Amino acid sequence: MLLLLLGIIVLHVTVLVLLFVSTIVSQWLVNGEHTADLWQNCTSGTVFHCLTSSTNEWLQSVQAMMILSIIFSVLSLFLFFCQLFTLTKGGRFYVTGIFQILAGLCVMTGAAIFTVRHTDWHQASENTSYGFAYILAWLAFPLALASGIVYVILRKRE
């Protein structure tokens, strides 16, 4: 049982790290020396220069979804530890699982909006590709859903 709890906590912390990195790092779109993320557009070369990102409504919704996913995932981890010590024997971690599933749905929504609308922001070209932070966001989605489902299925034992 202890090994199972350790595995669940490692999975949850992995999801949190993926969410934090994908939200913070400036690598959602890459075009040569130009990178763009949710917060700023940077140009590297002889001089590293960053400008604030656009104020498009869709970009603000992606920002909000990524922040909400982090908040839901942190709440889920906190609730898991609270329920671990207060839940009666045989009880399920429903609340923890629901918050983690919400985190997964928020990150999926944010990444999907960015996928569809990023051409409104930056012109698509042959050199433009998705950066590693964008890929990490999509990787966090199934992991968050999986850990949420595990929390819902999990029963507390002594």
Side-chain angles (χ1 to χ4, degrees):
M1 184 64 179
L2 188 61
L3 213 53
L4 178 66
L5 286 176
L6 183 64
I8 291 169
I9 292 170
V10 167
L11 178 62
H12 198 126
V13 170
T14 302
V15 168
L16 266 175
V17 168
L18 290 175
L19 289 174
F20 272 110
V21 170
S22 66
T23 303
I24 294 170
V25 174
S26 179
Q27 290 283 327
W28 278 62
L29 281 179
V30 178
N31 185 358
E33 293 182 352
H34 181 77
T35 61
D37 71 343
L38 305 178
W39 313 105
Q40 58 189 359
N41 298 327
C42 296
T43 304
S44 60
T46 56
V47 176
F48 190 75
H49 184 66
C50 291
L51 299 172
T52 305
S53 284
S54 173
T55 57
N56 292 332
E57 292 85 10
W58 68 266
L59 186 60
Q60 290 177 349
S61 67
V62 173
Q63 292 170 347
M65 287 294 125
M66 294 304 292
I67 295 294
L68 278 174
S69 68
I70 291 172
I71 291 170
F72 284 143
S73 191
V74 167
L75 278 173
S76 178
L77 187 62
F78 176 74
L79 287 171
F80 174 68
F81 284 121
C82 288
Q83 285 183 322
L84 194 59
F85 296 110
T86 60
L87 202 62
T88 60
K89 181 180 174 184
R92 293 188 186 253
F93 297 89
Y94 287 123
V95 177
T96 302
I98 288 170
F99 274 103
Q100 191 67 358
I101 290 171
L102 282 174
L105 292 176
C106 283
V107 73
M108 186 243 355
T109 304
I113 292 170
F114 188 86
T115 304
V116 173
R117 300 298 300 260
H118 80 277
T119 54
D120 297 349
W121 183 32
H122 288 280
Q123 293 297 330
S125 69
E126 290 180 11
N127 299 335
T128 303
S129 63
Y130 293 111
F132 75 91
Y134 171 82
I135 295 167
L136 290 180
W138 276 113
L139 185 62
F141 162 60
L143 292 177
L145 279 183
S147 67
I149 291 169
V150 167
Y151 281 132
V152 170
I153 295 171
L154 186 67
R155 284 186 185 270
K156 182 178 179 187
R157 294 187 183 155
E158 280 197 43

